Every structure is written in C-alpha cells, then in structure tokens.
Amino acid sequence: MKYLWINWKRFHDTIVARWCFMFRLALKMIRKDLKSSAFYMIVMTTTIAISFIFTATSNGKALTVEKVNTDLRSLPNMFAAVPASDYLNMVIIVFCCFLMFYVNNNYIYNKKNEIAILSVSGASTFQIIIYFLMQTAFLFLLACVPGLILGWFGVQVFFQFVSSIMHT
C-alpha cells in the first residue's frame, strides 16, 4: 500500500509540475511576443465591449415583443413581432464571432515556430493544445475586465445620446 501511495504522489507531483511548467512557459511566451499578444488583447477587448454594448442596448430598453402563440398558423407573425434591433444584435454578435475566429487563427499562425519547437521537444499534440489554451485563456481573462468596463461606458454614452435625441 505504501508503494502505491509513493507512486501516486510521484505521478501527481509530475502532473502538477508539468501543468505549472506549461503555465509559466505560456506566460513567458506571452511576454516575449508582446506585439502579437497586445494586438490579440486589443481585438478581444473591443469585441467584448461591442458585444456587451449591443446586448445591453437590446435588452435594456423596453422591448415590445408581442406574445405570439406557438401554433403553426401564427408562425409568420412571430418574426414580425421581433424588433429590428434584435436582428441587428444577432448580426453584430455573429460579426464579433467571425472576428474572434480570424484573430485566433492569425494568433496561432504567428506561433508556428513555437509549435515546431514544442513538437520537436517531444510535446504531444494534447500538450500543445493545452499550452495554447492556457495562453488564450489568460489573454481572454485579461481582456474581459477592460472590455466590460469599456462596454459599460459605451452603454452609458449610447443611452445618453439616445435620450438627448429623444428630448430635442
């Protein structure tokens, strides 16, 4: 039994050490390639802010969506009852998703040398994926705070702009 505990402890320590090493390596490479990482964060922050603004403006106002029966005869009326702002919100969110997809592809393409070095060093495909997931998750968490703050200020400015137009 003691032998199993020692092996488990050794296995656990090895796994934890590998994850810590991958995390430290991911942070080190983010700092090293600051130009690419900064561009990635700026685009993520902007995308989060735009998504927040359009979602908040679409949900913040009093939506006048009529209650529509779910039977098949009223199906054409269901789309007529949804305001145009919800369609615009959907288009903006889809655009932001495509923008994020493009930026992620560009970010990974710029890291092809790192991928080559990691694969030659003996890292498995799973480890390389985890490495890039750690990098993108860290950058995403760093971009969320300013993105939400910018989005909140953007909503305030938008509502003040709309109220000034409505009162004049």
Side-chain angles (χ1 to χ4, degrees), residues 2-16:
K2 185 177 181 183
Y3 179 71
L4 288 174
W5 172 251
I6 292 172
N7 282 342
W8 170 251
K9 178 129 176 74
R10 217 179 269 156
F11 175 75
H12 180 266
D13 291 344
T14 305
I15 295 296
V16 170

Side-chain angles (χ1 to χ4, degrees), residues 7-118:
N7 282 342
W8 170 251
K9 178 129 176 74
R10 217 179 269 156
F11 175 75
H12 180 266
D13 291 344
T14 305
I15 295 296
V16 170
R18 283 185 184 175
W19 281 92
C20 289
F21 172 75
M22 292 293 275
F23 184 72
R24 282 184 288 158
L25 181 64
L27 291 180
K28 181 179 177 183
M29 295 311 288
I30 286 172
R31 283 190 300 251
K32 185 177 179 184
D33 192 19
L34 200 57
K35 181 180 175 184
S36 174
S37 300
F39 175 72
Y40 186 71
M41 274 194 52
I42 289 170
V43 171
M44 285 178 65
T45 302
T46 307
T47 304
I48 290 168
I50 290 171
S51 301
F52 184 82
I53 289 169
F54 278 96
T55 303
T57 55
S58 138
N59 294 333
K61 64 182 187 306
L63 292 176
T64 57
V65 178
E66 303 166 6
K67 293 193 176 196
V68 180
N69 294 331
T70 57
D71 60 12
L72 293 177
R73 289 174 289 174
S74 67
L75 192 59
N77 295 335
M78 183 169 46
F79 294 108
V82 178
S85 65
D86 286 348
Y87 293 121
L88 178 64
N89 186 25
M90 184 183 70
V91 168
I92 296 296
I93 297 295
V94 168
F95 172 74
C96 288
C97 289
F98 280 123
L99 181 65
M100 287 301 301
F101 180 75
Y102 173 74
V103 170
N104 278 329
N105 282 342
N106 189 26
Y107 186 71
I108 297 297
Y109 180 76
N110 289 336
K111 300 282 186 169
K112 63 184 176 187
N113 291 339
E114 286 180 45
I115 294 172
I117 290 171
L118 287 171

